[in-house]
Amino acid sequence: MLKLKYTYYIKVVLAPLFISTTISNLSLATEQNNYDPGEKGEFNNIATYEYKIIDKEANNNDPNNPFKPFDFDDYIDVEGVKYSPYVEVEGVTYFPEGQSNLPVIVLLHGRHVTCYNIENNKAEMRWPCKEDQSSIPSYKGYEYLGKHLASQGYFVVSISANGINAIEDFRDFEKPNYTKPPLANSKAGKSARARLINHHLNLLWAAHTYGTNTKLGNSDKANELAGKIEGRLDFQRIGLMGHSRGGEGVLDYAKFNAVKNDIFNVRSVLLIGSTNTHNMSLTNASLGSILPYCDGDVKNLESARIFDKTIKVNSNNPHYQWTFMGGNHNYFNTTWSPGLFSAGTQDDWVGGLYLKIESVFTPLSEIKYILDPHCGGYAADKDSKEFDYYPFSYSGANFLSQYDAKRESNGLKSFTSIIVAMPKSRFSEAKTQNAAKAYTSAFFHDSLKELNQEDNLMNRAYLIGKKNESAETQIPPSSQLNTNEIKFAFQLENSEMLKVNINNVGDSNAINCTLLKSTTSYNDDESKRNPDYTTDKLKENNYCHPSIPSPHTRAYYNDDKTAIIFESNLSLRLQSSGSTELSLRNVKDISQSDTLSFRVYSVNKSVVPEISVQLLDAYGNASHQVSIDNPEVLNALPGNSKQSMGILPRALLHTATVKLSKFNNVDLSQVTTLRLIYNTGKGNVLDIADITFSKTD
């Protein structure tokens, strides 16, 4: 892991603007280095072992579900639907056989259907499964990640959470008038997932410590696993990955671990398309987050707020966020992907669009208009030339076929006869998984593995998308991504927050955006929501883009009024042309820094804005204007609002950088002011956040 010594944050009055840490010597590694975290590692002999605990003493009623992560007893509602607080203890491990001192990575899947009929592949959410059903092995959907990480010297365990999924939001469609047990909800599910992680880690620690003298499972294979890993794991180097609702589970465990970490030390947490129902952050470890731009499940990409909050409260660790511009939610898990598993699969972007169709009686002639040019959708006409797309074989037929009988009885064409069209900008399952391997490995290497200096620098260059001397953005070749397919946001370690004043200069059109905070803790009590946060009030007071859906904001709804809660660092809005001065409260020495960075979002597609930076020193000197290194970050993000049912385009902040070596005629040890000079073009707007100076070792 690359250690960085100093970083300065700038903060604007009324709203936080940060300064983060980046990298000076990266250019040493970016020209002639073949290191690629997405390539197979040095270890070829990868062991795969499954284990399952069956314990009659723990749960006499159901030995297959011996662990109790919920705080309620068995509950039977008035319709006779039984809820049990007990869940399965089942996992699959991947590791290089015969190797020792292995960092431990835990993979946790999210909420997905749990059971399916092996005759007709009909899937549903319940636990335990019926006699004529088999469980859907969501935890095995990350085998491609597990084996890849194992080849690079990690012990990886992927754990099953089907019981939690079903109990957390139980649905029995045969008995719709059910009631939930008092403590079965998403908050309880988050805590239950954290407890399940802790339980598995304790089991593995016991096997590591006592070998076959401990009970890791109820099979000879599980007993063999205990012997294989005895004395070989390093629980002081733990990484966690949570997908979807699994993201909040791993964050909750990391919070618990920060207090009780005598045995287990969580150093890094990776989120993939995570939910953020409970407004979470990470205070004690490094955060990585993948945002799938075409996510049709967690449509609002609400985990962006996890990154926003984390960079405010956790300056001791590096944090990264990558937007996969063609990625969806399900393809990161092969068990959830059409064509790779037989039941309960779908392309969630298309499924998410379908759920926004008001009636199953919608004519197919109307459905073709939800074919977004970037993320795709339904096309009623296979010969349509309206979009440049390739046909996509949609295997999740159960998702649509359940409505076909009604449609056909009303003289409408069946849903399953239409084509699903995917633009070339969309990622396939294989491309999604290749990109996931590359960035998952790079992220965990950053905090859990000792690389040589050159590879370490190259690894960090990949994580932040730093340009090399030929101005090429660094992307692992194995990821198969190009510069249009991934966007970066980052904040590196060792940060210090400063304060500045904002002064508008000349024909400036800059507005300070008030940072709004919720007046109450997260709850559903509409009576306690502040009416001054309604859309109309925000527009009236010139707040930043209240009408544009942004993952950096949280929306409440009350009497048809939308209350927008800004929990990000949106702090400065630039429009038209002009300049804005950010005056440091004290003279700052940034002479050892190498990079200035800030996060930015461009609202309008009609024109690409321009922005440059000047530095002023205590002697009255001003540098010349320096353009940002990556002007492509100013391009508006893609998508058609009408054809995506209002989901796209997304208002996401990504990081722009400027090399400080480009500033001349100014004393970098006596900097007093930073000036932004911009021309956004008519009707365009730029959001600016997290202004950062970076200092390296």
Side-chain angles (χ1 to χ4, degrees), residues 247-475:
E248 291 188 87
V250 296
L251 286 169
D252 205 50
Y253 179 73
K255 179 180 178 181
F256 164 82
N257 178 257
V259 179
K260 301 180 179 181
N261 62 353
D262 292 340
I263 298 176
F264 307 131
N265 182 19
V266 174
R267 293 192 183 184
S268 49
V269 175
L270 176 66
L271 310 177
I272 299 178
S274 177
T275 57
N276 187 24
T277 307
H278 304 286
N279 201 30
M280 303 188 74
S281 62
L282 181 64
T283 61
N284 61 300
S286 179
L287 176 69
S289 180
I290 295 174
L291 300 180
Y293 190 77
C294 298
D295 194 321
D297 188 342
V298 186
K299 300 182 187 67
N300 59 2
L301 299 189
E302 59 189 1
S303 62
R305 298 197 311 272
I306 298 173
F307 181 85
D308 293 337
K309 290 189 68 176
T310 296
I311 63 176
K312 295 182 195 177
V313 300
N314 182 352
S315 62
N316 295 323
N317 296 282
H319 310 299
Y320 313 95
Q321 186 169 269
W322 311 279
T323 304
F324 284 12
M325 295 302 297
N328 72 353
H329 190 82
N330 282 356
Y331 288 2
F332 293 92
N333 186 311
T334 59
T335 306
W336 301 358
S337 300
L340 299 180
F341 192 73
S342 59
T345 62
Q346 66 164 316
D347 171 7
D348 53 275
W349 172 259
V350 176
L353 287 182
Y354 173 76
L355 291 176
K356 301 201 75 169
I357 300 173
E358 293 183 359
S359 170
V360 297
F361 305 118
T362 305
L364 293 187
S365 60
E366 295 180 17
I367 293 177
K368 74 177 183 179
Y369 291 109
I370 58 171
L371 182 58
D372 179 76
H374 180 77
C375 289
Y378 289 119
D381 182 2
K382 293 184 179 182
D383 297 323
S384 171
K385 304 298 183 184
E386 187 173 358
F387 298 98
D388 180 21
Y389 65 84
Y390 60 88
F392 180 81
S393 177
Y394 181 55
S395 302
N398 288 333
F399 182 72
L400 295 175
S401 61
Q402 58 185 314
Y403 303 105
D404 282 347
K406 282 186 179 181
R407 292 183 62 82
E408 291 171 350
S409 66
N410 284 274
L412 294 172
K413 198 173 180 181
S414 67
F415 275 130
T416 49
S417 66
I418 70 175
I419 188 174
V420 177
M422 292 294 108
K424 293 181 172 60
S425 50
R426 275 292 305 277
F427 293 2
S428 66
E429 287 126 317
K431 187 167 186 172
T432 299
Q433 292 153 23
N434 283 330
K437 285 193 298 185
Y439 282 91
T440 297
S441 292
F443 173 68
F444 285 128
H445 290 354
D446 195 52
S447 56
L448 301 180
K449 193 170 185 179
E450 294 293 334
L451 301 174
N452 64 54
Q453 183 181 17
E454 186 175 314
D455 288 351
N456 204 13
L457 290 169
M458 193 70 222
N459 193 69
R460 182 63 68 92
Y462 286 143
L463 290 171
I464 68 173
K466 182 174 174 62
K467 292 180 180 294
N468 62 11
E469 295 306 312
S470 61
E472 295 177 342
T473 300
Q474 297 302 296
I475 299 174

Side-chain angles (χ1 to χ4, degrees), residues 510-529:
I511 298 174
N512 294 342
C513 305
T514 301
L515 179 70
L516 300 180
K517 291 184 179 295
S518 174
T519 55
T520 63
S521 59
Y522 183 87
N523 59 60
D524 293 321
D525 187 350
E526 294 182 354
S527 65
K528 294 182 180 179
R529 297 176 191 165

Side-chain angles (χ1 to χ4, degrees), residues 77-115:
D77 73 1
V78 294
E79 292 295 319
V81 179
K82 183 178 180 180
Y83 299 87
S84 170
Y86 290 90
V87 303
E88 76 277 21
V89 178
E90 191 168 3
V92 58
T93 64
Y94 313 94
F95 57 94
E97 195 155 11
Q99 301 302 313
S100 299
N101 197 32
L102 301 176
V104 176
I105 295 176
V106 180
L107 310 180
L108 179 61
H109 66 85
R111 185 174 175 272
H112 189 68
V113 284
T114 54
C115 305

Side-chain angles (χ1 to χ4, degrees), residues 8-13 15-19 496-500 502 569-572 582 598-599 676 688-692:
Y8 296 101
Y9 283 97
I10 292 180
K11 184 178 180 182
V12 175
V13 175
L17 293 171
F18 294 97
I19 304 181
E496 178 185 356
M497 185 178 291
L498 306 177
K499 292 185 180 292
V500 301
I502 292 184
N569 306 310
L570 294 175
S571 47
L572 189 63
L582 310 178
F598 55 86
R599 291 203 292 164
L676 298 175
I688 301 291
D690 310 338
I691 298 180
T692 303

Side-chain angles (χ1 to χ4, degrees), residues 203-211 214 226 229-235:
L203 289 170
L204 293 168
W205 178 85
H208 160 77
T209 305
Y210 304 110
T214 189
I229 65 176
E230 183 177 2
R232 297 187 181 275
L233 308 185
D234 184 355
F235 289 96

